[in-house]
Amino acid sequence: MQQAVGSAAAAPPNNQQMWIALGAMAAVGLVVGLVVAGRVSPLATFVPSMVLLAWTVIYALDVNRALSLIPSEPSVNQIIRDAGFGAKTMLTTGVFALLGVALFIPVLMPSRWSRQRDDMDEDYEPASESTYY
C-alpha cells in the first residue's frame, strides 16, 4: 500500500513494485467485495471485522501496544516486515477502521442469518401415520 500511495502522489505509475502494490490492493478489494456482497456465513465478515475494530480500539487507547503487535524484528523475513509496514500504515491512517466497519455492516442484516430454502424442502410431504406405504 505504501508503494501505491507514495508513487501515485509523486509520479505516474511506471515501476514494477508500484504495479504489484496496486494489483494487491485491487485483489484485496475484490475479495472484500465478494465476502461482503456474497451469501456466505455472516461469521465470515463478523470475525475479521471484530479483529480490525479491536486493533483500531487498541491503537486509539495505547499506540505503543497496538504497534508492538506488528512484526518488525530483524529476525523476521523481509516480506513479513514489509507486510508489517503496510499494516502499520493502514492502522495509523484508519483504513483498518474503515474495513472493520464495512465488514461489520452485513452482520446487521437479518437476511444474512436466515437459512436458505432448498427446493427439496418444498417437495417433501409427510405421509400420514395410518398408511403403511
Side-chain angles (χ1 to χ4, degrees):
M1 179 171 167
Q2 180 238 1
Q3 289 288 330
V5 172
S7 297
N14 60 0
N15 76 15
Q16 184 179 7
Q17 284 185 337
M18 209 282 298
W19 283 109
I20 291 171
L22 282 176
M25 287 173 46
V28 168
L30 177 67
V31 169
V32 168
L34 289 174
V35 168
V36 169
R39 286 288 296 179
V40 295
S41 170
L43 292 177
T45 59
F46 180 70
V47 173
S49 71
M50 287 295 104
V51 170
L52 293 173
L53 290 174
W55 200 1
T56 304
V57 168
I58 292 170
Y59 177 73
L61 297 175
D62 189 3
V63 174
N64 292 330
R65 177 166 289 178
L67 295 179
S68 71
L69 298 173
I70 299 171
S72 61
E73 294 82 26
S75 62
V76 177
N77 190 338
Q78 180 63 33
I79 294 172
I80 303 297
R81 283 193 309 240
D82 290 343
F85 183 74
K88 179 181 175 183
T89 303
M90 290 192 294
L91 179 64
T92 58
T93 57
V95 174
F96 279 171
L98 174 88
L99 284 174
V101 170
L103 288 171
F104 186 73
I105 295 296
V107 173
L108 301 176
M109 310 229 176
S111 62
R112 295 285 297 249
W113 291 94
S114 66
R115 182 176 163 258
Q116 290 182 350
R117 295 189 55 89
D118 294 335
D119 292 335
M120 297 298 290
D121 291 341
E122 295 173 3
D123 293 341
Y124 176 74
E125 294 179 17
S128 63
E129 295 180 17
S130 61
T131 62
Y132 184 71
Y133 293 102

